Amino acid sequence: MAYSIIMAVVAGILLTLSVILSFLSNRFSSLVAFCALCATGLTFMLDISMWTYIFWGIAAIIVTTLNFMLPPHISSSRLGLGYIATAALAGTLVGLVVSHAGMVLGAVVGAILGGVAYSKTPQGKLLEFPSSKFLNYLCAKGLPVIITMCISGTVISILVLAFTVK
């Protein structure tokens, strides 16, 4: 039991770190979130399907690879990332109340609405909403945030389930 609690604490720390990294435009935020998900698998408190780990692992690898393929000025940019990440996190948490699919949908809708909200600010005018420039930037910044928040939501649901089921 003590080992499970230690792994749950490690998962919580990695989860927090991944959310912080997603606000900082870090390329590895989704991989850190996936490590948190793997730490929940080491708690031995729940039997989680291996397909959950495979799916989110592949998604994290794809997003990280795409981040390395982006031009440096795009991958290091933080324009509107606070709006996108905050809205995606809020959408994830609201969707988590409904279901796992609701969590994913909430993250996607949140990231889109966060990008639109930022584009309406004076600093966001350079994204030229609605345009292909805006859509490209939203995909470049929103997809890693969406994957990170969805993995984080999965970790939260596993931890809550692990410590409420007797």
Side-chain angles (χ1 to χ4, degrees), residues 43-166:
T43 61
F44 303 116
M45 298 179 89
L46 293 173
D47 186 27
I48 306 299
S49 168
M50 84 168 162
W51 293 109
T52 301
Y53 298 102
I54 292 171
F55 176 80
W56 288 119
I58 291 171
I61 290 169
I62 289 171
V63 164
T64 304
T65 304
L66 288 174
N67 264 330
F68 277 103
M69 294 171 67
L70 289 172
H73 70 281
I74 301 258
S75 64
S76 63
S77 174
R78 290 188 186 171
L79 289 177
L81 197 55
Y83 285 81
I84 294 169
T86 302
L89 180 60
T92 300
L93 295 177
V94 169
L96 196 57
V97 173
V98 178
S99 68
H100 199 268
M103 175 196 68
V104 174
L105 184 63
V108 171
V109 170
I112 292 170
L113 292 177
V116 170
Y118 177 74
S119 72
K120 299 299 182 184
T121 65
Q123 301 88 3
K125 295 290 182 195
L126 63 102
L127 293 180
E128 303 165 5
F129 175 78
S131 69
S132 62
K133 182 179 180 181
F134 169 78
L135 186 60
N136 287 340
Y137 188 77
L138 184 62
C139 288
K141 291 294 157 186
L143 184 61
V145 168
I146 290 167
I147 297 300
T148 301
M149 296 307 171
C150 287
I151 295 173
S152 299
T154 304
V155 171
I156 290 170
S157 65
I158 290 171
L159 290 176
V160 166
L161 189 61
F163 287 103
T164 56
V165 173
K166 299 286 179 184

